[in-house]
Amino acid sequence: MHSSAPSSETVRLSTPRALLRLMPYVRPVSGRLALGALSALVGAIISLLIPIALEWVVAGPIAQRETWPIVLGAGLVLLLGLGEAAMVWLRRWFVLNPSMTVEYGMRTDFYAKLQRLPVAFHDRWQSGQLLSRMMQDIGLIRRWLAFGLILLLVNILTIIIGTGLLFRWHWLLGVIFLVTSLPLWVQGYLFDQKYGILSRLSQDQAGDLATSVEESVHGIRVLKAFGRGKFALSKFTRQAETLRETEIKKARADGSIWFWLVLMPAIAFGLCLLAGIWLASQGQMSVAELFAFFAMATVLRWPIESIGFLFSFLLDARTATDRVFEVFDEIDTITDAPDAVAMPTSRGRLAFRGAHFRYQDAGAHEADLLNGIDLELEPGETMALVGLTGSGKTTLTTLPTRLYDVTGGAVTLDGVDVREMRLTDLRRHIAMAFEDATLFSASVRTNVLLGRPELDPHGPEGERVLREALQIAQAGFVDDLPEGTETVIGEEGMSLSGGQRQRLALARAVAAAPSVLVLDDPLSALDVDTEALVEAALREVLANTTALIVAHRPSTVALADRVALLEAGRVTAVGTHSDLLATSEHYRYVISSLENEARDKQEAEAGR
Ligand SMILES: Nc1ncnc2c1ncn2[C@@H]1O[C@H](COP(=O)(O)OP(=O)(O)OP(=O)(O)O)[C@@H](O)[C@H]1O
Ligand SMILES: [Mg+2]
């Protein structure tokens, strides 16, 4: 179901414009970031003053062999050094907090966005891609804001001012210094082209790798049971190898720019030394000036060398920003309409009116999976939905709560199109339980009361709702758990059996006290006796709750007032169980196959 991450086909923005998209997050902390940049700049200016101070010491006090001024001069240089160090400390202190704030804000928004995006989005995107964007890419943006951005700006300024000052001592030396740096600019441009692509590739591949890890950790039992650990490992190794190759290419690109970054200043140094000595011997330049020139060239060395690293950092940050904003740019298709109707209460009249649905990845020539569903549930009615496997029953149950939107026709609650209702209201009125019961890493109590955020879970009302729901779902087993209803279950806690999880998921749906209950085969993992108990209890609740139940067993069908038969994308028959048995050939066929399945299961249980 997962293809690789959809790549954006949008126009490629220039790097500065791509990074400007971070502005909304940066603006609130821009004051402190600016102070950080200012500290860095002051530090840089101080470092540029050192050669000038040295020139003064060499030309004046040292040449005249006066002791006190020499000590004073040395003290001044030392003081400048201290000042520079203090500025480095200040810069770090200023930027730490704002960068963390940006990271926190982006992560929270990213999470909220993932929650808002429709199920169809999650069908298309690999979980590992989302995970790596949320953790790795946003973390990289934080580090870049804290160090990369400021250092890049300040170092470029330092280089410009410093090179200007070089001309102060002698124009020829300045020109030599400048000309030898030209190849760096050319290399830097080429590097930008190559590295940007590699950076994107490596970050995408890291996301694929995260998906693999997640999938194999989730599926560890299957892999072990089928002895396919090696298979998973070889797939993982292949992906890791691809990532390694990309990283090596990246490092090569990095290495080639470093080659120039180290080589060119060295050449510049050598040439300047030759020219400088010649100029000094010609009397065109004093020794103090020559000395100061080299001191300045030394000061400029680190900013120049760091440019390569800061440049690749910039491109990595740009890629990370692109990857994060690809998710932010996804349009929430399932949202409140601007004029959404508030619906504080509901009577629970659910209807499908000529509802069509097809999955996005369905072939163009295929007929719609749901091809004009007409079905009406009276308030309080229990309707069973039956159909062959793959006929679209689960798909149909996702439409009332708008996990997916219909692609034609409508679903209505109390006569109002569900798309015109406020989502919060809609989802409070309709509760669901799925065959595949998902529980969260939290206590039993929190899991069951998930749909009742307004209740104090430990208050008397919370306790009453919890108890009632557990009773209906026959989930008394929770009292035998080590800490009763406070036991933490799910990924971080106690592992429960399939039937136990299903009963808790059912309790969760019941506790939501909805006016419509949509159950997708919620009892499949229960043994026949427990199922009968749950059904008896459900019948009580269902008396005043509208229910749509996908049934895979004849006994579940018996619970229903009426049965709807799904066939070839349409509801072809609606009626009581005995009516349909009498009138519909396809219904008899479906029921007999359900009976066979149920019998097989019962025999398997008996034989256990
Ligand atoms: N997220 C999805 N994206 C694309 N196609 C899907 C998706 N989920 C289901 N399908 C396809 O839709 C069809 C109907 O699936 P659905 O799960 O609704 O059937 P079902 O009637 O519930 O079957 P079962 O009785 O086995 O539970 C299947 O052909 C399936 O491959
Ligand atoms: Mg199904």
Side-chain angles (χ1 to χ4, degrees), residues 61-196:
I62 291 187
Q64 284 144 35
R65 300 180 194 287
E66 294 169 35
T67 317
W68 270 113
I70 291 182
V71 174
L72 217 70
L76 178 67
V77 172
L78 183 69
L79 216 67
L80 287 173
L82 276 176
E84 194 190 345
M87 286 301 141
V88 169
W89 181 84
L90 255 185
R91 186 199 78 217
R92 287 176 163 260
W93 184 73
F94 274 128
V95 299
L96 187 68
N97 206 332
S99 61
M100 297 281 188
T101 310
V102 170
E103 182 180 37
Y104 165 80
M106 288 187 80
R107 243 179 223 156
T108 327
D109 283 0
F110 197 87
Y111 188 86
K113 179 79 185 182
L114 289 187
Q115 293 291 319
R116 268 198 319 271
L117 281 168
V119 179
F121 164 85
H122 293 280
D123 287 347
R124 270 187 299 126
W125 281 67
Q126 298 177 0
S127 51
Q129 282 294 350
L130 299 175
L131 196 70
S132 76
R133 282 164 209 235
M134 178 141 173
M135 302 312 296
Q136 222 181 334
D137 290 323
I138 295 182
L140 194 140
I141 292 172
R142 167 179 61 76
R143 276 176 280 128
W144 180 72
L145 280 175
F147 305 101
L149 172 63
I150 292 179
L151 287 183
L152 184 66
L153 294 178
V154 169
N155 285 0
I156 288 179
L157 256 161
T158 311
I159 293 171
I160 293 173
I161 300 175
T163 313
L165 286 172
L166 289 182
F167 279 89
R168 207 180 89 106
W169 288 297
H170 202 283
W171 64 268
L172 184 59
L173 297 187
V175 167
I176 291 177
F177 201 83
L178 209 60
V179 168
T180 45
S181 72
L182 281 182
L184 284 184
W185 299 115
V186 177
Q187 286 299 323
Y189 176 74
L190 295 176
F191 175 71
D192 180 20
Q193 308 281 305
K194 194 158 51 171
Y195 192 88

Side-chain angles (χ1 to χ4, degrees), residues 1 123 359 361 369 387-396 404 435 520 552:
M1 128 177 132
D123 287 347
Y359 285 105
D361 53 7
L369 175 59
L388 291 177
T389 175
S391 57
K393 302 181 295 297
T394 298
T395 308
L396 189 145
Y404 295 90
E435 177 178 13
D520 184 9
H552 276 164

Side-chain angles (χ1 to χ4, degrees), residues 382-421:
T382 298
M383 174 89 75
L385 183 67
V386 296
L388 291 177
T389 175
S391 57
K393 302 181 295 297
T394 298
T395 308
L396 189 145
T397 61
T398 59
L399 300 180
T401 45
R402 295 186 71 197
L403 295 185
Y404 295 90
D405 265 341
V406 290
T407 47
V411 179
T412 63
L413 182 63
D414 295 351
V416 182
D417 191 323
V418 291
R419 284 167 297 181
E420 286 160 13
M421 231 174 266

Side-chain angles (χ1 to χ4, degrees), residues 281-529:
S281 71
Q282 297 292 306
Q284 293 200 29
M285 213 181 161
S286 70
V287 174
E289 282 170 335
L290 192 62
F291 186 71
F293 176 90
F294 282 106
M296 181 64 86
T298 311
V299 167
L300 290 184
R301 210 177 161 126
W302 138 246
I304 291 180
E305 283 188 4
S306 69
I307 287 288
F309 161 73
L310 292 171
F311 226 47
S312 47
F313 201 179
L314 173 81
L315 295 175
D316 281 338
R318 183 250 148 91
T319 308
T321 309
D322 284 350
R323 278 169 47 90
V324 170
F325 274 88
E326 267 166 27
V327 175
F328 281 144
D329 288 344
E330 284 281 337
I331 296 162
D332 305 344
T333 46
I334 298 187
T335 51
D336 280 342
D339 49 353
V341 198
M343 219 167 88
T345 59
S346 154
R347 289 185 303 127
R349 183 191 298 273
L350 180 69
F352 294 78
R353 305 211 179 278
H356 283 254
F357 182 79
R358 64 187 296 126
Y359 285 105
Q360 274 174 346
D361 53 7
H365 53 279
E366 277 175 49
D368 287 354
L369 175 59
L370 299 179
N371 203 0
I373 300 282
D374 285 303
L375 188 64
E376 190 150 349
L377 281 74
E378 296 301 324
E381 185 182 28
T382 298
M383 174 89 75
L385 183 67
V386 296
L388 291 177
T389 175
S391 57
K393 302 181 295 297
T394 298
T395 308
L396 189 145
T397 61
T398 59
L399 300 180
T401 45
R402 295 186 71 197
L403 295 185
Y404 295 90
D405 265 341
V406 290
T407 47
V411 179
T412 63
L413 182 63
D414 295 351
V416 182
D417 191 323
V418 291
R419 284 167 297 181
E420 286 160 13
M421 231 174 266
R422 284 203 327 223
L423 269 176
T424 44
D425 288 339
L426 176 66
R427 291 182 178 164
R428 207 177 55 236
H429 297 320
I430 307 180
M432 300 183 76
F434 313 90
E435 177 178 13
D436 170 21
T438 303
L439 299 170
F440 295 94
S441 298
S443 67
V444 169
R445 185 183 296 270
T446 313
N447 266 291
V448 173
L449 295 177
L450 189 77
R452 297 297 291 274
E454 81 284 3
L455 281 187
D456 169 14
H458 295 278
E461 182 63 8
E463 179 68 22
R464 191 188 65 73
V465 171
L466 175 75
R467 284 291 149 197
E468 195 183 64
L470 290 176
Q471 200 269 324
I472 291 167
Q474 300 298 308
F477 70 90
V478 296
D479 290 320
D480 300 328
L481 295 178
E483 285 159 64
T485 53
E486 304 313 317
T487 311
V488 173
I489 51 177
E491 183 118 339
E492 287 171 15
M494 185 92 189
S495 294
L496 299 177
S497 77
Q500 288 173 327
R501 285 193 292 129
Q502 271 195 347
R503 276 176 280 170
L504 287 186
L506 183 64
R508 175 168 64 198
V510 169
S515 60
V516 178
L517 201 53
V518 177
L519 306 176
D520 184 9
D521 201 22
L523 310 176
S524 62
L526 302 189
D527 58 65
V528 176
D529 297 337

